[in-house]
């Protein structure tokens, strides 16, 4: 009842929409445009990376705007949610009226600009909602990130479930996403409040803070393994495991494990502290990625176990790190807009980095999406990129977290 009175379910619903517009698009969009329109993986990776370079300028500016929104804030944010919905329809439900690669770039730009602005405002509002207490941030993060992970689950599996049910599964997904987005935006309408203090914060204040700076670097390194595995997941299941048709079920296992584990990690963090609990999750992630290196064609069941274990570790990443950063923002930047502008930029950059580096490497190794008789070099490259690279990055993230001093 307390959660309902505090309207925490509205945060879960809005987080579900944002997550549905984020990670699953990187899972499906490159493969969809490669399979449907014949766009090369290298070209798609280049476009995604170019858009993230644009974000270097855009996201801090959006954070600056967010902190200065007062009159009309509710309307502006709701209209931005409408842009998010329309962009998703354009990406998956509208036949490209221009060259597919340019249409891809245009619609993804609209999608992720809206995504950035909504995310910045959403997390900044969470700082105000949670207050100054550490437990408030962890509690809100549990509701918010559980909703986000459920949203990822739904968005990740719906297109595959709709295959054979409707004529165009991705178009149906896009229209359904648009409808849910509008509903979630209306439920969040009462939550959008004006800025928390008279003077907005500056990026310099945030970057100059050692703890905030270290957490941003940690987020960059720690989020990259998820970006890598998300970008290559469908290719790995289809080509390395030879498990065509299992993609949807395995994605559900991965993200459902993340969603179910999220409140568990939160409860453990409240008892033992965020840092030791997050370190434990990172070690489990390395073990699961390392085991993936031993898998080959037909190992669907072992990979399903890996999906559950690695998904559970993602639940810790997506719940505890934002809570740790939000707690620091409450101390040095109560408005949070500029800080979460940087946070959004960091997380999106990892996905772009994965796309621009991994997809061209795959293509050069002889990999072709949808081909059944791939050379060993291509399959070995796919395995190394999917399993070994995330393991090494997690080791670096562990080192950074150990070296980061947090105020408990």
């Amino acid at each position: 009842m307390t959660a309902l009175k505090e309207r925490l379910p509205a945060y879960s619903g809005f987080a579900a929409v944002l997550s549905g517009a984020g990670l699953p698009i990187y899972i499906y969009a490159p493969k969809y445009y490669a399979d449907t329109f014949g766009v090369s993986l290298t070209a798609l990776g280049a476009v995604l990376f170019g858009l993230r370079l644009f974000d270097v300028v855009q996201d801090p500016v959006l954070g600056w705007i967010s902190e200065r929104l007062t009159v009309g804030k509710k309307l502006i944010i709701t209209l931005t949610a409408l842009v998010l919905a329309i962009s998703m329809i354009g990406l998956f439900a509208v036949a490209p009226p221009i060259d597919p690669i340019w249409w891809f770039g245009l619609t993804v730009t609209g999608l992720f600009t809206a995504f950035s602005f909504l995310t910045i405002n959403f997390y900044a509002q969470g700082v105000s909602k949670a207050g100054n207490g550490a437990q408030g941030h962890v509690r809100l993060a549990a509701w918010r990130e559980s909703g986000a992970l459920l949203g990822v689950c739904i968005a990740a599996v719906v297109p595959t479930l709709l295959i054979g049910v409707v004529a165009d599964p991705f178009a149906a997904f896009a229209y359904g996403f648009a409808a849910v987005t509008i509903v979630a935006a209306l439920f969040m309408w009462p939550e959008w409040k004006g800025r928390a203090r008279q003077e907005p914060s500056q990026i310099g204040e945030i970057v100059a803070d050692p703890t905030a700076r270290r957490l941003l670097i940690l987020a960059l390194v720690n989020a990259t393994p998820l970006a890598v595995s998300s970008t290559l997941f469908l290719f790995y299941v289809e080509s390395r495991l030879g498990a065509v048709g299992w993609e949807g079920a395995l994605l559900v296992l991965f993200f459902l494990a993340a969603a179910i584990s999220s409140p568990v990690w939160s409860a453990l963090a409240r008892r033992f502290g965020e840092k030791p609990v997050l370190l434990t999750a990172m070690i489990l992630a390395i073990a699961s990625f390392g085991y993936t290196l031993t898998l080959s064609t037909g190992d669907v069941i072992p990979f399903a176990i890996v999906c559950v274990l690695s998904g559970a570790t993602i639940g810790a990443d997506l719940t505890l790190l934002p809570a740790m950063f939000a707690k620091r923002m409450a101390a040095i930047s109560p408005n949070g807009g500029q800080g979460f502008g940087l946070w959004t930029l960091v997380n999106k950059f990892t996905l772009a980095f994965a796309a621009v580096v991994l997809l061209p490497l795959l293509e050069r190794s002889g990999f072709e999406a949808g081909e059944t008789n791939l050379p060993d070099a291509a399959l070995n490259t796919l395995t190394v990129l999917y399993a070994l690279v995330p393991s090494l990055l997690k080791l670096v993230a562990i080192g950074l977290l150990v070296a980061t001093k947090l105020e408990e």
Side-chain angles (χ1 to χ4, degrees):
M1 290 300 293
T2 302
L4 289 174
K5 189 179 295 184
E6 295 176 6
R7 305 194 78 256
L8 294 180
Y11 284 80
S12 293
F14 202 78
V17 165
L18 290 177
S19 65
L23 191 59
I25 305 311
Y26 272 87
I27 295 175
Y28 282 118
K31 192 173 189 303
Y32 175 76
Y33 271 74
D35 291 347
T36 307
F37 305 113
V39 181
S40 79
L41 295 177
T42 300
L44 291 167
V47 169
L48 290 171
F49 187 72
L51 292 175
R52 295 297 74 83
L53 291 180
F54 174 62
D55 284 336
V56 171
V57 177
Q58 173 184 256
D59 284 3
V61 171
L62 293 176
W64 184 90
I65 293 171
S66 169
E67 290 197 342
R68 287 155 177 82
L69 279 180
T70 51
V71 179
K73 181 175 183 177
K74 294 180 178 181
L75 180 60
I76 290 171
I77 292 176
T78 304
L79 289 176
T80 305
L82 183 62
V83 172
L84 184 79
I86 292 172
S87 297
M88 185 70 78
I89 291 172
L91 180 65
F92 284 123
V94 176
I98 55 178
D99 189 292
I101 189 63
W102 288 106
W103 184 247
F104 176 82
L106 179 65
T107 52
V108 168
T109 298
L111 187 73
F112 281 115
T113 297
F115 171 85
S116 292
F117 189 65
L118 293 171
T119 301
I120 290 166
N121 281 280
F122 182 56
Y123 277 84
Q125 192 63 52
V127 173
S128 175
K129 182 79 171 180
N132 294 322
Q135 299 302 317
H137 290 286
V138 175
R139 183 165 180 265
L140 175 60
W143 278 88
R144 183 180 58 211
E145 307 311 329
S146 293
L149 290 165
L150 286 173
V152 167
C153 289
I154 295 169
V157 72
V158 164
T160 56
L161 289 179
L162 291 177
I163 293 175
V165 178
V166 297
D168 193 336
F170 284 95
F173 162 76
Y175 284 117
F177 173 86
V180 173
T181 298
I182 300 305
V183 172
L186 292 175
F187 273 103
M188 269 297 292
W189 176 280
E191 290 297 308
W192 305 118
K193 304 292 194 297
R195 60 177 183 248
R197 65 176 182 178
Q198 198 64 29
E199 289 298 323
S201 59
Q202 302 297 323
I203 287 181
E205 299 174 21
I206 299 163
V207 175
D209 181 76
T211 303
R213 184 171 63 246
R214 187 67 66 87
L215 285 172
L216 285 167
I217 296 171
L218 175 60
L220 176 65
V221 176
N222 192 59
T224 306
L226 177 59
V228 170
S229 58
S230 298
T231 301
L232 299 179
F233 187 92
L234 294 182
F235 299 119
Y236 182 85
V237 173
E238 179 182 87
S239 301
R240 174 70 276 183
L241 297 182
V244 178
W246 282 87
E247 299 92 341
L250 292 170
L251 277 172
V252 167
L253 278 178
F254 179 81
F255 288 117
L256 194 57
I260 292 172
S261 70
S262 180
V264 176
W265 294 117
S266 294
L268 290 172
R270 286 194 293 270
R271 181 168 183 179
F272 300 107
E274 291 104 319
K275 187 173 179 177
V277 172
L278 187 56
L279 281 170
T280 302
M282 288 178 170
I283 294 169
L284 178 59
I286 291 174
S288 62
F289 277 124
Y291 180 68
T292 306
L293 284 168
T294 68
L295 302 182
S296 58
T297 303
D299 288 336
V300 179
I301 301 303
F303 185 68
I305 296 171
V306 169
C307 286
V308 172
L309 294 177
S310 59
T313 68
I314 295 304
D317 289 345
L318 298 183
T319 300
L320 302 184
L321 267 179
M324 292 157 68
F325 188 71
K327 189 193 304 182
R328 192 58 189 162
M329 288 300 98
I332 67 171
S333 177
N335 276 332
Q338 298 279 35
F340 281 105
L342 294 173
W343 187 263
T344 302
L345 172 63
V346 161
N347 282 278
K348 287 199 302 182
F349 186 81
T350 62
L351 290 163
F353 172 79
V356 76
V357 172
L358 304 180
L359 296 180
L361 280 176
L362 263 185
E363 205 161 59
R364 288 171 190 167
S365 71
F367 184 89
E368 291 185 35
E371 288 294 319
T372 53
N373 295 317
L374 291 170
D376 289 339
L379 294 176
N380 291 336
T381 299
L382 177 59
T383 301
V384 167
L385 293 177
Y386 182 81
L388 182 60
V389 170
S391 298
L392 297 176
L393 289 168
K394 278 289 182 182
L395 284 173
V396 176
I398 286 175
L400 285 171
L401 182 56
V402 169
T404 300
K405 294 182 179 180
L406 299 174
E407 297 178 9
E408 297 297 341

